[in-house]
Each structure stands twice: as C-alpha cells, then as structure tokens.
Amino acid sequence: MLVSAAQAEENRIRQLEAVQLYTQDELLALIRTNSHLRRVQDDECQLVRDIEARADIMKLPAYQFLWGDMLAYAVCVPRDIERGWQLMQDAAAQGLPEGLEQVGRYYHIGRFVQPDAEKAIVYLREAAALGNLPATIRLAEILLADAGSPRDYEQVYRWLHHSVTADASMHQKISQLLRQFEQRMPDRVVQRARRPVS
C-alpha cells in the first residue's frame, strides 16, 4: 500500500510530538483502572527515563508503583522482578493506597512472592483504611475464608457498609459480603458498625 506524501508528513509530525508526562492525578486514575501499563505502551515508551527518574530520584509513590510494575511485567524495559517488587513495596511504605492494595493482593495470590495471608491482611487493612475499595473487598473475602481474626469483622463491615460505588456488580458484591458477615456477627455489633462514620 502506497502512502501519500501528505500522509507520510503527518506520520512524521505525529512521531515528533512529545508525550507529556502524566500528572499525579492522571497517573493515579490510570492505576485505579489498571490501565497504567497500557498507557505507557500506547505512548510508545517515550517516558521511560522520566518515569524512572520520578521513581528513583524523586521517590514519588505513584511513579514508584508504575516503575515497579513496568519492571515486573517487562513493559518497555527488561524484566527485573526483584527491583520491581522493591519499588512496589516502597510505594506501599509511603502510604499509596493502590500500592498497599497491590502488595497485599500479590501476597494473597502468591504473585512474585509466596502466598502469605497474614502479610496480605496487613497491607490490605492499611489500604482499606485509606478508602481503597478493592482492598476492602479482598480483605473481606480473606476474613470470610477463615483467615485472619474475627475481631476485624466489625471494622471491615463498617468500611463496606459505608462504601460508595456506581458499579452495579461491585455494589452487588458488597451486599453479598455484608450478608455473609451478618451471619457471623451478633446483631448489636452489626448495628454498631452501621452507625454513621463521624
């Protein structure tokens, strides 16, 4: 197929356009929708050095998370799972809810590390306390599978009961988890957990 001179020039100009680095809010939105790695690929890996600098030099947790994922999954860079894992833990240690959730999830499913429900609970509980709904749901599932402590039921029930989501399937999942907790908790504890959060 022949490309016209105008199309060739348009392609050349498009290639010369610089891709703007992601703002913190934009990057967090990409991470929440699990589209951050795809975005880096769609940007033709143009921002690799900038991402690395913001992760390693500036130590920005969202960029540590992104750079760690890129290394672990070999997106635009050679695979380095150990370094990627360390960066994910660094992001979690700085309190990034998405980082805490991911590290907890990986401990739960045994991705890159051996499965460890106790470690998963620690990370997921922190992410849930910061309002990360996927972490709260995973933590609830772990507790309902008889791992962890029943002492956590009330708090997890409270987080689920007061959560907000527009996703119908997520809402249904939360309702199902709440019913399962209600079967394991005394009514007075359920009522206490339902009180408005002050």
Side-chain angles (χ1 to χ4, degrees):
M1 176 178 190
L2 295 176
V3 177
S4 72
Q7 287 174 325
E9 180 63 15
E10 184 180 323
N11 288 339
R12 188 184 73 75
I13 290 171
R14 209 176 300 136
Q15 289 175 350
L16 293 176
E17 291 177 10
V19 175
Q20 295 298 311
L21 194 58
Y22 321 122
T23 66
Q24 183 85 353
D25 290 340
E26 182 181 15
L27 180 53
L28 289 173
L30 291 167
I31 290 169
R32 285 184 197 110
T33 59
N34 200 27
S35 57
H36 54 290
L37 296 178
R38 171 64 48 207
R39 176 65 180 271
V40 172
Q41 291 173 321
D42 289 347
D43 290 339
E44 298 175 354
C45 304
Q46 292 182 49
L47 300 174
V48 170
R49 294 298 147 233
D50 291 317
I51 293 166
E52 180 182 20
R54 278 163 178 72
D56 286 339
I57 297 169
M58 298 175 72
K59 305 215 180 292
L60 299 173
Y63 280 94
Q64 288 175 318
F65 180 94
L66 174 59
W67 184 237
D69 252 7
M70 288 170 64
L71 289 167
Y73 289 100
V75 172
C76 301
V77 295
R79 185 180 306 274
D80 186 345
I81 294 172
E82 293 81 8
R83 177 77 177 114
W85 177 249
Q86 183 59 54
L87 284 160
M88 289 179 224
Q89 287 186 309
D90 291 347
Q94 288 199 58
L96 182 71
E98 294 78 8
L100 289 160
E101 186 274 331
Q102 180 158 316
V103 171
R105 177 169 25 103
Y106 285 173
Y107 272 122
H108 182 227
I109 64 174
R111 179 95 180 165
F112 305 128
V113 293
Q114 294 302 310
D116 188 328
E118 288 180 25
K119 285 183 182 177
I121 289 170
V122 169
Y123 284 97
L124 293 169
R125 186 185 300 121
E126 290 300 316
L130 293 169
N132 186 286
L133 188 54
T136 308
I137 289 171
R138 184 172 293 275
L139 178 58
E141 291 170 341
I142 291 171
L143 292 173
L144 290 167
D146 296 323
S149 171
R151 286 181 272 188
D152 288 329
Y153 288 2
E154 182 177 354
Q155 183 60 59
V156 174
Y157 185 96
R158 180 176 291 109
W159 287 328
L160 288 172
H161 180 74
H162 294 290
S163 64
V164 177
T165 181
D167 183 323
S169 63
M170 184 79 75
H171 182 75
Q172 183 178 4
K173 178 70 174 171
I174 292 167
S175 296
Q176 178 187 35
L177 292 169
L178 289 171
R179 284 191 299 274
Q180 290 175 19
F181 275 119
E182 288 165 5
Q183 294 171 359
R184 295 175 178 223
M185 297 165 57
D187 287 340
R188 64 180 170 71
V189 176
V190 170
Q191 294 310 314
R192 188 171 61 214
R194 289 180 177 175
R195 289 183 192 149
V197 179
S198 53

